Amino acid sequence: MARPDTSRYQTFGDITGRLDDIVAQVRDKDVSLERSLDLFDEAIALGSKAVDLVDATDFSPEEEAKLDEADGTDKAKEPEPSDAPAQAAQSFGETGGAE
């Protein structure tokens, strides 16, 4: 089977809009299995196109700084891997023999 044509979808908004349409069509009980499979193939092609859009995105220095800042904020909330055993022991009431 030929790959579905996704050339008219150029932005994430276009892609997500079409994916929403596909979901609505597949949920319709009157849609045949063959049509649902065709829509599934189109959804996969659209997902691949979305990945390509992400890979091709060029961020400005300001956008990159915001992303780095947000990434640093998320990492600050997560415990360090070396702290995990100590935190696990504390959560189970173990004190390491220092009672």
Side-chain angles (χ1 to χ4, degrees):
M1 182 171 151
R3 184 177 175 148
D5 179 24
T6 60
S7 62
R8 66 180 153 196
Y9 306 103
Q10 298 299 317
T11 67
F12 283 109
D14 294 342
I15 291 172
T16 57
R18 179 59 185 145
L19 288 172
D20 289 341
D21 292 341
I22 289 171
V23 168
Q25 288 181 43
V26 171
R27 285 184 175 168
D28 186 352
K29 303 280 187 224
D30 296 328
V31 174
S32 70
L33 176 60
E34 183 177 342
R35 177 68 180 141
S36 293
L37 293 173
D38 290 342
L39 291 168
F40 180 72
D41 287 339
E42 183 180 352
I44 290 172
L46 287 168
S48 295
K49 183 159 189 156
V51 168
D52 291 342
L53 286 173
V54 168
D55 289 344
T57 301
D58 289 327
F59 293 108
S60 70
E62 295 83 15
E63 291 170 325
E64 286 184 12
K66 285 181 183 179
L67 288 172
D68 289 342
E69 183 179 302
D71 191 36
T73 303
D74 292 341
K75 287 182 180 179
K77 294 178 185 177
E78 297 175 8
E80 290 296 319
S82 61
D83 294 341
Q87 288 178 347
Q90 288 175 354
S91 67
F92 289 110
E94 298 175 15
T95 59
E99 291 182 21

